[in-house]
Amino acid sequence: MKTYVNRDQLNRLTPQIIQRGNYASPEISVYLTDGNKWAVKDCSGMQPFLKQIIGRRYQNREISIYKRLEGVEGVPSFKGIIDQDAFAVEFIEGETLSRKLAPELLNKALDNLEKIINAIHERGVVHLDLKQKRNVLVKASGEVAVIDFQSSLFFSQSPLGRLIISLLKGRDKAGLVKFKAKYAPSILTPEEKRKYKRDLILSRFWPFSHLGRFVRQIFKN
Ligand SMILES: Nc1ncnc2c1ncn2[C@@H]1O[C@H](COP(=O)(O)OP(=O)(O)O)[C@@H](O)[C@H]1O
Ligand SMILES: [Mg+2]
């Protein structure tokens, strides 16, 4: 297990909190260590029961996915486990997708995102939360990083694993198509346009998407 900094050492550094945690969600902070910036996800402040059944479980899943994706361009590198409540990955200087970004930058970013999604799938991982633009960070160069693998799943290269991946890939691609439709509609292919329209109709009638939004809202507040 790769650990560069333990909790005591971490406590001596001054973090910049980028997302405050609460009883049901982890805190995310940036730490500067030896000139490198780390993003640390820390569920130690969660309500103990929720920490046990959600916080640590999700974080362990995220850690295992980061390890499987080591070396994939566009995925922050894994920096280490702090303790059972926290882990660190490379901090990415970037911003979320938005119409404020220059059109050329958006086109490059979306093109890059498609490559990253394919590379992630090649490793047997499906992200499954790519409809949230906060999980995609755009660097000044137009390159992209995908973060937040807590809902992701890994499947082996067995025939069954490959079958499941091929069924779930569409969900990640639907996130990409949604971003293209929103931020760069001119680059949508006719097939993507059809998929986007179908997806819009399906999500209107899919009760879990409303439920998911409702649950996220409760936990974020
Ligand atoms: N490695 C990172 N580099 C830069 N910012 C990050 C990184 N990890 C998280 N963040 C910031 O923290 C936010 C929340 O992190 P995320 O892992 O998506 O947690 P959550 O499960 O709360 O969505 C992100 O939207 C992003 O702004
Ligand atoms: Mg997120």
Side-chain angles (χ1 to χ4, degrees):
M1 214 182 278
K2 202 159 73 163
T3 312
Y4 292 110
V5 166
N6 62 33
R7 176 70 68 172
D8 288 341
Q9 291 165 314
L10 196 73
N11 285 342
R12 274 183 243 128
L13 303 168
T14 320
Q16 182 199 336
I17 297 172
I18 42 178
Q19 184 171 289
R20 203 164 275 289
N22 62 25
Y23 70 99
S25 53
E27 186 145 287
I28 294 145
S29 313
V30 190
Y31 286 84
L32 189 66
T33 62
D34 300 330
N36 297 309
K37 279 186 172 177
W38 289 3
V40 173
K41 210 174 211 180
D42 184 356
C43 69
S44 60
M46 283 175 67
Q47 192 277 337
F49 180 65
L50 291 177
K51 175 166 73 180
Q52 204 65 253
I53 60 158
I54 303 175
R56 286 180 181 161
R57 189 168 298 178
Y58 279 8
Q59 287 194 183
N60 285 338
R61 178 187 306 177
E62 192 162 9
I63 289 166
S64 75
I65 297 286
Y66 270 116
K67 286 181 174 173
R68 293 198 182 278
L69 295 177
E70 285 267 38
V72 172
E73 196 102 25
V75 175
S77 57
F78 182 69
K79 295 298 180 191
I81 293 167
I82 311 295
D83 58 20
Q84 55 184 353
D85 292 334
F87 70 96
V89 297
E90 170 194 4
F91 176 76
I92 306 293
E93 302 280 359
E95 39 187 320
T96 44
L97 286 165
S98 86
R99 291 196 182 89
K100 280 189 287 176
L101 299 177
E104 315 80 66
L105 194 78
L106 277 171
N107 288 357
K108 185 171 176 194
L110 291 168
D111 192 46
N112 191 220
L113 178 61
E114 188 157 13
K115 293 194 179 99
I116 298 168
I117 292 173
N118 290 336
I120 289 173
H121 291 165
E122 283 288 306
R123 291 271 180 111
V125 172
V126 273
H127 186 286
L128 300 179
D129 198 14
L130 276 183
K131 283 194 176 174
Q132 288 215 49
K133 63 178 181 179
R134 280 161 36 87
N135 293 337
V136 176
L137 298 172
V138 183
K139 300 180 196 173
S141 61
E143 270 146 29
V144 162
V146 171
I147 57 166
D148 195 358
F149 291 88
Q150 66 172 18
S151 316
S152 305
L153 295 173
F154 164 77
F155 296 95
S156 70
Q157 290 299 316
S158 67
L160 180 64
R162 281 208 293 270
L163 172 72
I164 300 174
I165 279 266
S166 67
L167 295 173
L168 292 176
K169 268 180 185 175
R171 206 182 146 86
D172 289 348
K173 294 277 168 135
L176 173 74
V177 169
K178 177 186 159 189
F179 296 145
K180 282 189 183 175
K182 214 165 165 190
Y183 303 111
S186 64
I187 64 171
L188 277 175
T189 63
E191 199 200 336
E192 285 174 337
K193 270 187 199 152
R194 269 197 303 279
K195 277 193 182 146
Y196 181 60
K197 280 191 190 141
R198 192 194 55 197
D199 208 44
L200 272 184
I201 295 168
L202 284 178
S203 67
R204 205 160 291 156
F205 294 106
W206 182 242
F208 297 112
S209 55
H210 298 286
L211 186 68
R213 229 169 284 145
F214 177 66
V215 171
R216 268 201 300 277
Q217 209 59 41
I218 295 175
F219 283 152
K220 290 283 172 202
N221 294 333

